[in-house]
Amino acid sequence: MNREEIYGKLKELMVDKLGVDEDKIKENSHIIDDLGADSLDVVEFAMGIEDEFNVPKIPQDDIEQLTTVNSILDYIEDKTK
Amino acid sequence: MTRRVVITGLGVVSPIGIGKQNYWDSLVSGKSGITQISKFPLEGFASKIAGEISNFNPEDYGFSRKDIRRMDLISIFAVIAANEAMEDANIVITDPYRAGVMVSSGIGGITTFEIQHSNLIERGPTRVSPFFIPMMIQNTTPGEISIRFNLKGPNFSIASACASSTHAIGESFETIRRNDADIMVTGGAEAAITEMAVAGFSSMRALSTRNDEPEKASRPFDRERDGFVIAEGSGVIILEELEHAIKRDAKIYAEVTGYGATADAYHITAPCTSGLGSAKAMEFALNKAGISINDIDYINAHGTSTPLNDKIETTAIKTLFKEHAYKLAVNSTKSMTGHLLGAAGGAEAIATVLQIQNKILHPTINYTTKDPECDLDYVPNKARNFEIKNAISNSLGFGGHNASIVISKYE
């Protein structure tokens, strides 16, 4: 999957799990500050990423680093290489 | 001087209508809200009927997709009812610490529990949602309401099964009387038409199995009654200290004047055959209201349509009221709504208030065959013009809990 495809699927996941409108999502969006997620949303969103992209369980330390759409895209790209 | 407590707002989500006007129209016309269950496959279930909130889409009530993902149906029903009640009361909260919420449930977020338990079994512990606990515990419902309306006073829920919301109203009344708040948003909500709940109540032999005639299944005090019909929804009222209500020129529906609570201390599910526990709860409520048995002209019965409840509740009424028991009117809102469990007392307090206000008694529907052990005036099948000065609303819960409140015409 290339970055474009990952981004497309990630947007769908964010619409579903974070309840945001798709047009609000930008690559530099901060998922807490810009997209209104709280700590519980972030955990559920991480579970969604694991399921959707078939990546191994995301450690808590990594979850805390994944604050922007860009950083999440990098992470998924890296884990699905 | 004792602080008086009045009712200034009503909100209801019920199987016979969402919103107090729809609810009242159905109550007066004797409409049943019972149908075949649509929520899950019915194969193997002894009872296949319920009072569902049908054709219901939370988005129509302003809930976002995110709200819907994070809220059990209990909280959704409760917020809709609270919203209606707050708008009805037309309150502007000036001191949030003087406004509390006590909205109860008998069961809690069992829909959420079942979904997440399936996740655990099928996909393992790391797939249990972080929203599982907050959606499942019943006290997040008053929490949710506090956030939406900025109410920072006393906030919790009470669990006493089917007596939960009458306890909540009674305790909210006391909270205002003892000057811990001026406004209380109170009542109950329930959303337990699920496979586990229906299976569990069925195993207790508590549910009606009149599956061929859903609308006739809830028949309180009728000889052919065979169990209660599970239902869902919410009933929320606004209680307000009288001077607070007068000062802001609020519309006053009625006054809560008494509250009594007892335990049977007898059996975890069966009511004590003497009916004394319930009789005492009513007596204590009358004492608190400072009125005598002859002052009561109407009782909104718990009236579940189980063989035991209706017989014992009748005994309880006769034990306390003696000859006057035959002069007062008794009806069961559940004949139409089914049994809203922990929300029943809220919905029935609203039914009581609307009957006081409209000077009409709603009927107990499906009353066809007299039971020699239930020989009071149950307002069978047809609404009746009737002026209520003092009413009792009863709720009894598994666990042996009895709660009664007195609702009086405001004057």
Side-chain angles (χ1 to χ4, degrees):
Chain A
M1 217 181 323
N2 64 31
R3 195 174 173 96
E4 196 77 350
E5 290 165 338
I6 293 173
Y7 190 28
K9 273 180 89 172
L10 189 66
K11 275 189 194 167
E12 281 175 34
L13 190 67
M14 295 176 100
V15 168
D16 179 36
K17 299 283 184 199
L18 304 179
V20 291
D21 292 335
E22 190 174 333
D23 55 15
K24 285 216 175 114
I25 304 169
K26 308 277 181 266
E27 283 200 48
N28 61 357
S29 299
H30 190 285
I31 61 170
I32 294 170
D33 298 344
D34 298 326
L35 302 181
D38 65 18
S39 59
L40 300 177
D41 289 321
V42 170
V43 176
E44 188 154 87
F45 182 43
M47 285 181 186
I49 292 171
E50 291 159 17
D51 289 344
E52 194 64 35
F53 298 98
N54 204 20
V55 303
K57 173 93 187 128
I58 307 172
Q60 187 59 36
D61 287 353
D62 289 359
I63 289 178
E64 283 162 20
Q65 303 303 316
L66 300 176
T67 53
T68 63
V69 173
N70 257 328
S71 63
I72 296 165
L73 285 171
D74 292 343
Y75 187 87
I76 296 169
E77 243 184 345
D78 182 52
K79 296 292 175 190
T80 54
K81 254 183 208 157
Chain B
M1 209 183 100
T2 311
R3 286 157 58 86
R4 291 171 67 184
V5 181
V6 292
I7 300 169
T8 56
L10 309 174
V12 63
V13 175
S14 87
I16 56 171
I18 299 178
K20 62 180 187 298
Q21 190 59 50
N22 294 331
Y23 182 57
W24 176 245
D25 291 346
S26 296
L27 286 175
V28 175
S29 61
K31 182 183 155 191
S32 168
I34 311 304
T35 57
Q36 192 179 67
I37 292 172
S38 70
K39 290 175 187 264
F40 53 83
L42 295 171
E43 202 189 319
F45 282 88
S47 179
K48 303 176 195 290
I49 50 181
E52 296 184 344
I53 309 300
S54 48
N55 304 317
F56 173 72
N57 181 3
E59 288 184 31
D60 297 343
Y61 294 87
F63 292 95
S64 69
R65 217 165 20 206
K66 185 165 171 172
D67 289 333
I68 295 163
R69 288 183 46 79
R70 297 164 60 116
M71 290 166 75
D72 188 272
L73 198 51
I74 291 187
S75 289
I76 288 182
F77 288 156
V79 166
I80 293 171
N83 205 30
E84 184 190 6
M86 288 293 278
E87 278 181 12
D88 188 29
N90 195 23
I91 287 185
V92 177
I93 302 294
T94 47
D95 181 354
Y97 290 98
R98 297 290 297 171
V101 188
M102 221 180 280
V103 173
S104 291
S105 156
I107 309 248
I110 192 167
T111 309
T112 298
F113 198 106
E114 289 179 30
I115 291 168
Q116 295 301 325
H117 186 257
S118 297
N119 271 347
L120 174 78
I121 298 301
E122 288 159 18
R123 304 169 66 214
T126 61
R127 283 298 173 269
V128 173
S129 167
F131 295 109
F132 165 56
I133 299 290
M135 287 171 75
M136 181 267 299
I137 54 179
Q138 60 156 289
N139 48 293
T140 47
T141 297
E144 189 77 50
I145 293 169
S146 75
I147 295 165
R148 284 166 189 266
F149 299 100
N150 190 37
L151 310 172
K152 298 182 174 176
N155 187 296
F156 54 94
S157 60
I158 290 174
S160 55
C162 305
S164 298
S165 48
T166 299
H167 274 121
I169 294 168
E171 294 299 330
S172 293
F173 159 71
E174 294 292 3
T175 302
I176 293 175
R177 266 164 56 108
R178 68 172 182 255
N179 203 7
D180 282 341
D182 296 320
I183 296 161
M184 290 297 291
V185 178
T186 183
E190 203 75 84
I193 305 174
T194 69
E195 289 168 281
M196 281 300 291
V198 173
F201 283 123
S202 282
S203 294
M204 295 173 78
R205 304 283 184 274
L207 297 180
S208 169
T209 56
R210 196 181 289 267
N211 298 319
D212 301 337
E213 299 176 296
E215 296 190 350
K216 293 182 178 164
S218 186
R219 42 196 316 122
F221 305 105
D222 184 81
R223 200 179 68 192
E224 309 300 325
R225 68 189 184 277
D226 74 328
F228 77 78
V229 178
I230 193 169
E232 63 185 354
S234 177
V236 172
I237 63 176
I238 308 298
L239 295 187
E240 191 170 349
E241 193 271 325
L242 177 62
E243 295 304 320
H244 190 278
I246 289 173
K247 224 176 271 174
R248 65 177 192 91
D249 206 17
K251 163 185 63 190
I252 296 174
Y253 280 103
E255 180 172 3
V256 180
T257 52
Y259 165 53
T262 64
D264 277 359
Y266 171 75
H267 183 272
I268 53 162
T269 56
C272 181
T273 47
S274 71
L276 211 55
S278 169
K280 279 287 178 191
M282 288 189 274
E283 184 186 333
F284 296 156
L286 290 185
N287 292 348
K288 192 163 284 181
I291 58 177
S292 74
I293 52 172
N294 295 320
D295 295 323
I296 293 291
D297 24 47
Y298 162 66
I299 296 176
N300 187 299
H302 190 52
T304 57
S305 182
T306 65
L308 264 185
N309 176 86
D310 298 358
K311 175 182 147 185
I312 293 172
E313 194 175 3
T314 299
T315 303
I317 293 168
K318 291 196 283 191
T319 300
L320 177 64
F321 290 92
K322 315 244 166 20
E323 273 309 299
H324 187 63
Y326 295 95
K327 293 183 193 143
L328 48 78
V330 179
N331 64 15
S332 170
T333 306
K334 292 183 185 79
S335 63
M336 292 170 271
T337 58
H339 193 344
L340 273 73
L341 307 175
E348 288 159 20
I350 293 169
T352 302
V353 169
L354 291 172
Q355 290 175 98
I356 292 173
Q357 193 196 25
N358 290 290
K359 301 188 172 114
I360 295 173
L361 288 175
H362 75 59
T364 300
I365 67 166
N366 296 320
Y367 187 89
T368 57
T369 314
K370 192 167 176 172
D371 177 346
E373 293 183 304
C374 299
D375 58 349
L376 302 176
D377 171 10
Y378 301 109
V379 196
N381 305 317
K382 269 189 72 177
R384 182 192 299 170
N385 291 322
F386 190 89
E387 198 154 338
I388 302 169
K389 278 203 159 159
N390 295 291
I392 287 182
S393 179
N394 281 336
S395 293
L396 286 62
F398 288 151
H401 317 289
N402 308 297
S404 298
I405 51 174
V406 179
I407 301 177
S408 304
K409 187 178 169 194
Y410 170 68
E411 43 197 12

